[in-house]
Amino acid sequence: GQNPPGKVPCKVLRRADEYIFLKKKFSFRRLFPGGCLAKMSDNTARPGELKVIISEDKLKAYIIAPEGIERLDPEEVHRALQEAGVVYGIREEAVASFASAPTFQPVLVAEGDPPQPGEDERLEVLFEAAPPPKEELEERERVDFRETSNIVSVEAQTLLAVKHPARPGVPGRTVTGEELLPPAPRVLELRAGRNVELRENGTQVVALVGGRPWYKRVKDTYIFHVDPVLVFRGDVCMKSGNIRFKGDVKIFGNVCETMEVQATGKVEISGMVTRATVTSGGHLTVHGGVIASKIRAGVTFPGAKKLAFLLGDIKTSLHRMVQALAQIKEHAEDKNIAQLGFGRILLALMDTKFKNLRPLVKAAQQQIAAAGPDAPPEILRVRQSLNCLVGLNPLTAKSFAELMREVEEAVNLLQEGAANPANVTVPFTLASTILSSGSVFVTRRGCVNTVINAYQGVVIKGSFKGGEIFCEEKAEIEELGSTLGSPPV
């Protein structure tokens, strides 16, 4: 008889297979659109007795035949599929196999194409420090536990993050011919917080100042910030690790033995500095005193001013050599020197037109060597690059271009340091070394066995016993020397 409206209760079902179809959430009306199946007396299917089952997502179509049917015409199978609305993804091999051996068990005869999802917008954060590879840790014979700090800092104009565009998905199609749209890709939003700028239509995040970058995520929105000041609460010790920061640093504690603090900006320490090294790009202030330590403020090292003049002359000579090379290139065919290599032409120029360049290079290298580890990394790299002009390294177009770039950076660094002197302010020092591109101020109890090298002046409240003072401006000392120990210089 006819089924009641809606789904038929489970008790009406006569076969376990039918119950399984219902549990799989197939439509009962599609399973038996004309009512329950009846056994046929002959072995040939009558029109309308083939049943087509379409899954709920319309991506698969099955077919079944009444029991006792031994053969079918493939056209009858196609006609049943067409009546059920199945027009796409028909599997001809499955249709032929079903027609040759009909069965009441469902046979998959059509399959649609599911939609292919695309790629969501992806954010690449460039400043997050990744741990070293496991293989690298295993190969290390010694581990410096002072280098365990995970503080990340960047310079101004550093690219912090990049948002990569989404890729749309590919639509699918059901067995009934309907188009299935893929899900829309997830969209990310970038926002600029403090000291941050968005560029390239909001897809790049750039730091406007040096400091510690960080971001906050709210669902699919990322807000980036850069803090120009690192506030460290506690002692700089083995537990914290050395501090290296591109910006200003404030330490509410002590700098303990063998530790190191480096900052490109100002440094302020509320406690003591004991047997440690502190280097700042700006003013350096210690409130608790300095004992057996080395502190430096600004771009300063022995012979820095002389080296600035030497590198300035080298820079001028290199630019003149570039002009000479351009002229030689224009007249290369006339002078029949096109076959000469870049290095040979450059050496020939140094032997004829630029004879003063080699003495300048040797003098600059000697000055850098005399500065030793006190020289900044940019200065030490220049010494290595200058070797190509004295025959120690190959002279090629690439090495010459790198040399010009590094000389330019070193000259700019020295000129910037001279234009922005950095002062050192401490209450007292003992057996320490102070280097300053500006002035040195000792505010309370003076110095004992201390070496002070200042580009400007020195002012000491208290006594200066032992040690040396070098400065280019006035030295104002309350009490100089003592009856014990070696006299100060």
Side-chain angles (χ1 to χ4, degrees):
Q2 295 296 324
N3 297 326
K7 292 186 178 179
V8 177
C10 293
K11 62 181 181 180
V12 179
L13 300 178
R14 295 291 184 264
R15 294 178 53 85
D17 293 334
E18 299 166 14
Y19 178 71
I20 291 174
F21 289 136
L22 191 59
K23 294 293 286 184
K24 289 184 177 180
K25 298 183 179 179
F26 289 118
S27 171
F28 193 82
R29 289 182 176 177
R30 290 177 182 261
L31 179 60
F32 299 116
C36 298
L37 290 177
K39 290 186 179 180
M40 306 300 298
S41 59
D42 55 8
N43 294 331
T44 303
R46 296 176 181 177
E49 292 176 348
L50 296 179
K51 307 302 176 184
V52 177
I53 307 167
I54 301 177
S55 61
E56 283 192 354
D57 58 8
K58 298 184 180 181
L59 290 176
K60 293 183 180 180
Y62 300 83
I63 193 169
I64 60 175
E67 291 182 342
I69 303 301
E70 297 181 356
R71 64 184 182 278
L72 283 171
D73 186 358
E75 293 297 328
E76 181 68 21
V77 179
H78 280 287
R79 186 160 50 252
L81 294 175
Q82 187 175 7
E83 291 176 356
V86 178
V87 296
Y88 180 79
I90 299 175
R91 304 167 64 178
E92 297 296 339
E93 294 181 358
V95 170
S97 176
F98 177 79
S100 62
T103 175
F104 186 76
Q105 301 296 331
V107 177
L108 180 65
V109 291
E111 190 170 7
D113 297 328
Q116 300 297 324
E119 292 183 359
D120 297 334
E121 287 188 340
R122 181 173 58 89
L123 180 65
E124 182 182 5
V125 180
L126 304 177
F127 60 83
E128 292 180 334
K134 182 179 180 182
E135 297 78 7
E136 181 179 341
L137 292 177
E138 293 176 351
E139 292 177 358
R140 292 180 181 175
E141 297 180 359
R142 300 178 61 186
V143 178
D144 189 353
F145 290 99
R146 294 171 296 183
E147 300 295 340
T148 57
S149 175
N150 57 359
I151 297 174
V152 179
S153 61
V154 298
E155 297 178 348
Q157 303 303 317
T158 299
L159 184 63
L160 301 181
V162 177
K163 183 175 70 171
H164 298 279
R167 182 179 63 83
V170 179
R173 189 171 294 277
T174 66
V175 294
T176 57
E178 302 172 7
E179 186 181 38
L180 293 177
L181 298 179
R186 187 179 64 164
V187 178
L188 304 179
E189 181 182 359
L190 302 183
R191 293 185 182 178
R194 295 186 302 273
N195 304 313
V196 166
E197 182 181 47
L198 297 182
R199 297 178 183 175
E200 300 296 329
N201 296 324
T203 61
Q204 294 184 0
V205 185
V206 179
L208 297 180
V209 299
R212 182 176 69 90
W214 60 281
Y215 66 90
K216 180 181 180 181
R217 178 180 179 182
V218 181
K219 294 184 179 180
D220 292 334
T221 301
Y222 293 79
I223 307 173
F224 285 82
H225 305 269
V226 174
D227 292 337
V229 180
L230 171 65
V231 178
F232 188 84
R233 303 185 183 277
D235 295 339
V236 179
C237 56
M238 294 289 289
K239 182 179 180 180
S240 66
N242 295 331
I243 292 180
R244 292 182 173 85
F245 190 74
K246 296 174 182 178
D248 298 342
V249 175
K250 286 187 177 181
I251 299 174
F252 291 93
N254 304 313
V255 181
C256 302
E257 296 182 0
T258 71
M259 302 308 295
E260 187 173 351
V261 176
Q262 291 183 357
T264 59
K266 297 182 292 184
V267 174
E268 183 177 357
I269 302 170
S270 63
M272 300 279 295
V273 178
T274 306
R275 294 188 60 192
T277 302
V278 180
T279 304
S280 71
H283 300 308
L284 193 156
T285 303
V286 181
H287 296 286
V290 180
I291 299 176
S293 299
K294 183 175 182 179
I295 60 177
R296 181 174 66 186
V299 182
T300 173
F301 54 90
K305 287 196 172 182
K306 181 179 179 180
L307 182 63
F309 287 113
L310 292 173
L311 291 179
D313 291 342
I314 292 175
K315 173 185 172 182
T316 302
S317 298
L318 293 178
H319 282 285
R320 291 175 57 196
M321 288 182 70
V322 171
Q323 297 174 358
L325 285 171
Q327 294 177 358
I328 293 175
K329 185 177 180 180
E330 292 179 359
H331 303 283
E333 296 181 356
D334 298 340
K335 296 184 178 180
N336 197 22
I337 59 175
Q339 297 180 353
L340 294 177
F342 177 86
R344 294 180 62 183
I345 296 176
L346 212 59
L347 292 175
L349 287 173
M350 293 174 61
D351 292 336
T352 56
K353 190 174 182 180
F354 300 94
K355 293 182 179 181
N356 64 329
L357 184 56
R358 282 196 179 94
L360 287 174
V361 170
K362 292 181 179 180
Q365 289 183 320
Q366 292 175 358
Q367 197 67 45
I368 297 173
D374 291 333
E378 294 85 351
I379 303 300
L380 297 177
R381 286 197 297 266
V382 167
R383 182 190 179 192
Q384 184 67 24
S385 300
L386 288 172
N387 286 333
C388 66
L389 297 181
V390 294
L392 297 180
N393 290 340
L395 182 56
T396 62
K398 181 179 179 180
S399 63
F400 185 74
E402 291 178 354
L403 170 63
M404 292 193 62
R405 177 179 56 81
E406 292 181 356
V407 169
E408 184 87 21
E409 291 178 356
V411 171
N412 293 338
L413 177 69
L414 294 173
Q415 291 177 349
E416 183 180 355
N420 300 285
N423 301 330
V424 174
T425 304
V426 296
F428 70 91
T429 62
L430 175 63
S432 299
T433 300
I434 301 176
L435 302 176
S436 172
S437 63
S439 300
V440 175
F441 301 94
V442 182
T443 58
R444 288 203 300 271
R445 299 185 304 187
C447 307
V448 178
N449 294 333
T450 296
V451 176
I452 298 177
N453 194 324
Y455 279 11
Q456 294 182 351
V458 174
V459 178
I460 298 176
K461 299 295 183 180
S463 61
F464 187 85
K465 301 176 182 179
E468 300 174 346
I469 296 177
F470 302 92
C471 65
E472 298 190 10
E473 296 181 5
K474 66 177 182 178
E476 185 177 333
I477 306 168
E478 200 168 280
E479 181 183 346
L480 184 63
S482 68
T483 57
L484 300 176
S486 59
V489 177

